[in-house]
Amino acid sequence: MAQVVPAQAHGGSSYRWELTPTGTTAQFRGLAAVSKDVAWVAGTEGTVLRTVDGGKRWQNVSPKGAEKLQFRDVEAFDARSAVALTIGPGEESRVYRTADGGNTWTETFRNTDPNAFYDCFAFNGSKHGLALSDPVDGKFRIAASTDGGKSWKVQPNDGMPAALPGEFAFAASGTCLVAGAGRTAWFATGGGDRPRVFRTFDGGRHWKVSDSPMASGEAAGIFSLAFRNSLFGVAVGGDFLKPNEAVKAASVTYDGGRTWKLVPADKAPKGYRSGAHFVPGSPSTVVAVGPSGSDVSYDGGRSWKQFYDGSFDSVECAGHGANAGCWASGAKGAVARLVR
């Protein structure tokens, strides 16, 4: 295990990452935290791993026949049940589901539209899920599941606002789309002349959209969303071609994504960040990760402090009380637990 320079938290505590040996060199942008002991990661070359002992051992539970596909998102309901998303144009975008800890997988969705490209998905509970595709015929596309990922249905697009020229979502960490309470969900974009955040309150049937003050462009925008509740949220991103620069890299909302306030560069994460998540047990602690480091905010994203200068792509936290845990994943098989 590897210790890193800690960040000092309120009350004298600190954070650091402890790397766990995965035995692979795959890049894991898909990450699902269940607790401090249980987590799933999914990545390149069709690789899916699972741990049930806090990362001491990782089990290779990769779906057979998926070796040429890239997993970019995985959502886990417990130690045995999970769904995983592969990305790419046309039929490369697929969803796989397991109910036996990864011993067997069933392909439950295969995109047949050559113009669609699914980036990420999210579940609210164990039943309702939404998957996001880049625009098709001028609008972002949503596929929905009401049975825990066993089946999917592409939604009508009449309730989706038109996309901007060049606008798309980033398949960087599995958090370009996140789910909230009830039938609430949000997704974030970049690529256009301004990044935007879309929000739904009816399970993906109708959406409203708001502009963001963060960076946008061919390689810039919002890469990750994190919400503590229906009103309080954080967005992180920047320009992935400038990983060491805080190019309008973070913003916060207090009204459910209707309006966003930019975090000044001197208080923002120290570079482009691809993932963020609220830490359990604290109302306002957030961790963000990216290729040039990890940062922590103790005030709900209004200011950040870097505590690690290594690379991760994704971060996710889950669980309650003593069972809560945060995980990060990235390139060259890197997976770590957050230790306080």
Side-chain angles (χ1 to χ4, degrees):
M1 292 187 178
Q3 283 189 313
V4 299
V5 178
Q8 293 303 313
H10 295 315
S13 63
S14 61
Y15 288 106
R16 59 183 173 86
W17 291 115
E18 281 188 353
L19 292 169
T20 66
T22 61
T24 178
T25 58
Q27 182 167 15
F28 295 118
R29 293 185 183 271
L31 169 64
V34 177
S35 67
K36 67 179 179 62
D37 295 317
V38 179
W40 301 64
V41 291
T44 54
E45 298 179 340
T47 307
V48 180
L49 307 182
R50 181 190 72 143
T51 185
V52 295
D53 58 9
K56 295 177 182 178
R57 292 177 297 273
W58 287 91
Q59 179 186 8
N60 189 329
V61 295
S62 305
K64 294 180 180 179
E67 294 81 5
K68 295 182 179 180
L69 299 173
Q70 288 194 52
F71 285 102
R72 289 293 182 92
D73 201 353
V74 59
E75 301 287 329
F77 309 119
D78 50 44
R80 296 184 60 78
S81 302
V83 287
L85 172 74
T86 65
I87 65 153
E91 294 191 1
E92 292 181 25
S93 288
R94 307 177 191 180
V95 175
Y96 293 82
R97 183 180 186 273
T98 182
D100 58 10
N103 289 321
T104 60
W105 294 83
T106 301
E107 181 184 312
T108 61
F109 175 77
R110 182 179 297 203
N111 171 50
T112 57
D113 189 329
N115 297 311
F117 185 115
Y118 284 83
D119 299 288
C120 51
F121 63 174
F123 278 78
N124 183 325
S126 61
K127 297 295 184 182
H128 295 283
L130 299 176
L132 172 68
S133 167
D134 287 333
V136 178
D137 297 327
K139 292 185 175 182
F140 284 92
R141 174 171 288 183
I142 296 291
S145 175
T146 58
D147 54 13
K150 294 178 183 177
S151 63
W152 296 83
K153 183 177 180 180
V154 175
Q155 300 299 290
N157 70 0
D158 56 307
M160 178 69 71
L164 300 173
E167 189 177 24
F168 55 86
F170 292 99
S173 64
T175 50
C176 59
L177 168 70
V178 296
R183 305 304 301 280
T184 305
W186 301 263
F187 72 83
T189 72
D193 63 9
R194 60 193 184 276
R196 302 195 294 174
V197 177
F198 293 68
R199 61 190 185 279
T200 182
F201 301 103
D202 61 3
R205 183 64 185 84
H206 298 89
W207 298 81
K208 295 182 181 296
V209 63
S210 300
D211 292 346
S212 165
M214 289 174 58
S216 192
E218 182 181 358
I222 300 172
F223 284 72
S224 178
L225 294 170
F227 277 82
R228 169 60 81 189
N229 52 42
S230 62
L231 298 176
F232 180 22
V234 172
V236 300
D239 189 331
F240 75 74
L241 296 180
K242 301 176 181 178
N244 297 302
E245 298 181 26
V247 183
K248 295 183 177 180
S251 60
V252 295
T253 182
Y254 303 103
D255 56 12
R258 294 171 178 82
T259 61
W260 293 84
K261 183 178 181 180
L262 185 69
V263 177
D266 62 336
K267 296 182 178 181
K270 300 307 179 185
Y272 150 69
R273 296 295 180 255
S274 54
H277 212 278
F278 280 87
V279 176
S282 170
S284 55
T285 301
V286 196
V287 174
V289 301
S292 63
S294 301
D295 306 87
V296 62
S297 171
Y298 302 111
D299 56 11
R302 294 190 297 271
S303 63
W304 299 80
K305 181 176 181 179
Q306 186 167 340
F307 69 97
Y308 180 54
D309 60 5
S311 174
F312 288 114
D313 296 312
S314 306
V315 60
E316 186 168 314
C317 305
H320 302 281
N323 199 38
C326 294
W327 298 80
S329 64
K332 298 180 180 180
V335 183
R337 295 187 310 121
L338 188 66
V339 179
R340 182 179 301 180

